[in-house]
Amino acid sequence: MIQASYLMASRQQLQACGKPESSSCAVALGKTTILGLLFRDTDLVPSDIAAGLTLLHQQQDNIRNSQEPAEVVSHTPGSSQEADLDAELENCHHYMQFAAAAYGWPLYIYRNPLTGLCKIGGDCCRSRTTDYDLVGGDQLNCHFGSILQTTGLQYRDFIHISFHDKVYELPFLVALDHRKESVVVAVRGTMSMQDILTDLSAESEVLDVECEVQDRLAHKGISQAARYVYRRLIHDGILSQAFSVAPEYRLVIVGHSLGGGAAALLATMLRAAYPQVRCYAFAPPRGLWSKALHEYSQSFIVSLVLGKDVIPRLSVTNLEDLKRRILRVIAHCSKPKYKILLHGLWYELFGGNPNNFPTELDGGDHEILTQPLLGEQSLLTRWSPAYSFSSDSPLDSSPKYPPLYPPGRIIHLQEEGTSGRFGCCPAAQYSAKWSHEAEFSKILIGPKMLTDHMPDILMWALDSVVSDRAACVSCPAQGVSSVDVA
């Protein structure tokens, strides 16, 4: 298992690195650190891990292509879920703008590289004003300018904007959304080294919340971050101020990635005081909370996942399961490493039939294994009796890291056709369906497992799905949802 020492060492390494020059550097540093710590008890070098990921991707595609339609496990949603899919997609499309706005000017400039700076330049040069509550961080007026451009709201529509950023303390904004008649709380996702440290606090703790659920275990770091926002909203009177302006509005909490997980926990904390609260969590981490809380949240939380996005499949147990699968596929492969990497590069760039890229020895003949084909057990420099080499299911978890689950009902956006193997392109088309959490119980390897998590790619896919479904609303086969859009 990933021991507490792994996570502690990761936090210490990040703290020793100082402040990174950009948020993308911070995220890359965090992912590299986690991957290095995950395999630090093995004899594998980075090229071995890359070869293992390549083999695993081809193996997954081969298994998927060989499945007959009847063999594919499907979880058919109820009629009520099908009826409100269009309505919830439209809500996700609308509220994703707030989740993106919470990232401030860096994401806005990234999405609008040619015109973004010109559009928010006036706000960047604006002197500080007391007309709105804007606290914490640098370039505050640049952040506010990008938020105005992203949401389309006016200055007077914002109750509070905070870019205060520390470990367990996430930036967030509170605004009045007159179109949906809602008070929107948007929590920012991972954007800094402090956020990565919050992500890495993966121990479980009991969630202090008023509900009938007995098993209330949750991700410690995200729980602490949600508790911080809760204290600010309630104790500082921010929500009271918002509802004094619009008492008939409903409360909606949104966020992307880390912010999506914090939004789900925050909505659960606030539900006793605001029974009509709704939450939209975009690409939230899988390892968020207990199975009981996952089931409890079905009635008021909707999660949105794009493609093979790794974060909604990411948990401590799934990481250890990925490690076991990589070790197994490397140990059972007879091909030289350079051929694996060259063939894998071709497959990732141009695709092809995964059957043309064999990954395992027929009959399990291990005597002709070549480097790094050392046998699965010999790849471990420090073997633990708890480590399993035969089970196809994720490893049993220690009490400190029990299996955790994603929030709410899940809408899965899946790409149709072959539009290109990296990122988005104009030919990409997406379909939407309600999915069971079990469909995200394993990490899937692919060229888009990271890009599908990017908020701009998710927004592009949402635009495509909503516009396509709107264009087909008059088609007899499509049908029209009779559910009112909240």
Side-chain angles (χ1 to χ4, degrees), residues 417-464:
T418 56
S419 62
R421 300 181 68 81
F422 291 93
C424 258
C425 74
Q429 291 185 332
Y430 297 88
S431 62
K433 68 167 187 173
W434 291 108
S435 295
H436 191 273
E437 60 83 15
E439 297 182 38
F440 307 93
S441 60
K442 280 193 175 183
I443 296 174
L444 300 181
I445 308 302
K448 295 186 179 181
M449 61 187 294
L450 297 180
T451 57
D452 279 349
H453 186 67
M454 299 298 291
D456 59 309
I457 302 296
L458 181 55
M459 294 173 75
W460 192 96
L462 262 176
D463 288 342
S464 174

Side-chain angles (χ1 to χ4, degrees), residues 103-121 124 142 146 150:
Y103 283 98
W105 68 264
L107 178 60
Y108 183 78
I109 296 296
Y110 177 77
R111 293 181 59 217
N112 304 274
L114 299 179
T115 62
L117 190 58
C118 296
K119 290 181 178 180
I120 67 174
C124 291
C142 291
S146 68
T150 302

Side-chain angles (χ1 to χ4, degrees), residues 157-372:
D157 297 328
F158 290 89
I159 304 299
H160 183 86
I161 300 175
S162 171
F163 278 90
H164 170 81
D165 188 14
K166 288 186 177 180
V167 180
Y168 302 149
E169 299 179 2
L170 298 178
F172 67 97
L173 63 87
V174 180
L176 300 178
D177 178 18
H178 303 296
R179 176 184 165 188
K180 294 285 188 177
E181 296 188 345
S182 58
V183 174
V184 180
V185 178
V187 186
R188 197 189 74 182
T190 302
M191 190 79 173
S192 68
M193 183 179 66
Q194 290 82 1
D195 299 333
I196 295 175
L197 296 176
T198 300
D199 288 321
L200 291 174
S201 296
E203 303 91 347
S204 297
E205 69 174 17
V206 177
L207 184 65
D208 184 14
V209 62
E210 297 180 16
C211 68
E212 61 272 17
V213 177
Q214 297 298 319
D215 181 10
R216 301 194 302 274
L217 287 180
H219 184 290
K220 177 182 176 181
I222 304 178
S223 175
Q224 293 291 329
R227 180 63 58 183
Y228 161 77
V229 179
Y230 175 88
R231 290 195 299 265
R232 294 291 313 282
L233 294 176
I234 300 301
H235 298 165
D236 293 356
I238 297 174
L239 279 186
S240 297
Q241 179 184 354
F243 282 104
S244 68
V245 177
E248 72 282 7
Y249 283 12
R250 69 184 303 178
L251 178 62
V252 177
I253 306 175
V254 304
H256 172 265
S257 189
L258 169 62
L265 288 166
L266 180 60
T268 305
M269 295 174 182
L270 289 168
R271 195 165 186 237
Y274 299 91
Q276 301 302 315
V277 65
R278 295 284 293 176
C279 173
Y280 292 92
F282 302 97
R286 173 177 178 83
L288 183 65
W289 54 17
S290 66
K291 180 74 169 180
L293 283 172
H294 164 73
E295 295 172 350
Y296 171 76
S297 65
Q298 300 278 314
S299 62
F300 63 98
I301 297 178
V302 172
S303 293
L304 186 78
V305 178
L306 174 62
K308 291 186 177 181
D309 185 354
V310 65
I311 300 302
R313 297 172 170 87
L314 191 63
S315 67
V316 173
T317 51
N318 283 2
L319 275 174
E320 196 67 27
D321 175 62
L322 175 65
K323 173 183 176 180
R324 176 182 56 79
R325 289 188 286 147
I326 289 176
L327 291 176
R328 175 175 297 175
V329 77
I330 291 176
H332 291 181
C333 180
S334 61
K335 297 175 66 176
K337 185 165 59 176
Y338 78 92
K339 286 188 177 181
I340 295 174
L341 294 175
L342 287 177
H343 289 169
L345 179 62
W346 179 272
Y347 184 74
E348 297 297 341
L349 289 175
F350 305 108
N353 187 346
N355 289 319
N356 297 331
F357 304 93
T359 62
E360 297 195 15
L361 285 174
D362 295 334
D365 183 4
H366 298 274
E367 294 182 357
I368 60 173
L369 297 180
T370 59
Q371 185 183 3

Side-chain angles (χ1 to χ4, degrees), residues 68-132:
E68 296 293 334
E71 295 177 347
V72 178
V73 179
S74 61
H75 303 272
T76 304
S79 58
S80 61
Q81 289 181 316
E82 281 296 326
D84 68 358
L85 179 58
D86 283 331
E88 294 295 10
L89 275 172
E90 200 281 331
N91 285 336
C92 288
H93 182 253
H94 177 77
Y95 288 116
M96 182 62 200
Q97 307 298 322
F98 291 87
Y103 283 98
W105 68 264
L107 178 60
Y108 183 78
I109 296 296
Y110 177 77
R111 293 181 59 217
N112 304 274
L114 299 179
T115 62
L117 190 58
C118 296
K119 290 181 178 180
I120 67 174
D123 291 292
C124 291
C125 299
R126 189 189 304 273
S127 59
R128 291 297 303 273
T129 175
T130 58
D131 292 341
Y132 50 90

Side-chain angles (χ1 to χ4, degrees), residues 18-86:
K19 185 176 181 180
E21 295 182 359
S22 69
S23 59
S24 60
C25 291
V27 174
L29 177 61
K31 291 176 180 176
T32 303
T33 302
I34 293 174
L35 195 62
L37 291 171
L38 184 64
F39 288 94
R40 75 173 187 174
D41 60 344
T42 71
D43 261 340
L44 301 182
V45 297
S47 59
D48 295 333
I49 299 173
L53 290 171
T54 298
L55 291 171
L56 196 57
H57 180 208
Q58 295 163 18
Q59 184 187 70
Q60 288 176 348
D61 287 353
N62 192 24
I63 292 174
R64 186 185 68 248
N65 294 342
S66 64
Q67 284 181 323
E68 296 293 334
E71 295 177 347
V72 178
V73 179
S74 61
H75 303 272
T76 304
S79 58
S80 61
Q81 289 181 316
E82 281 296 326
D84 68 358
L85 179 58
D86 283 331

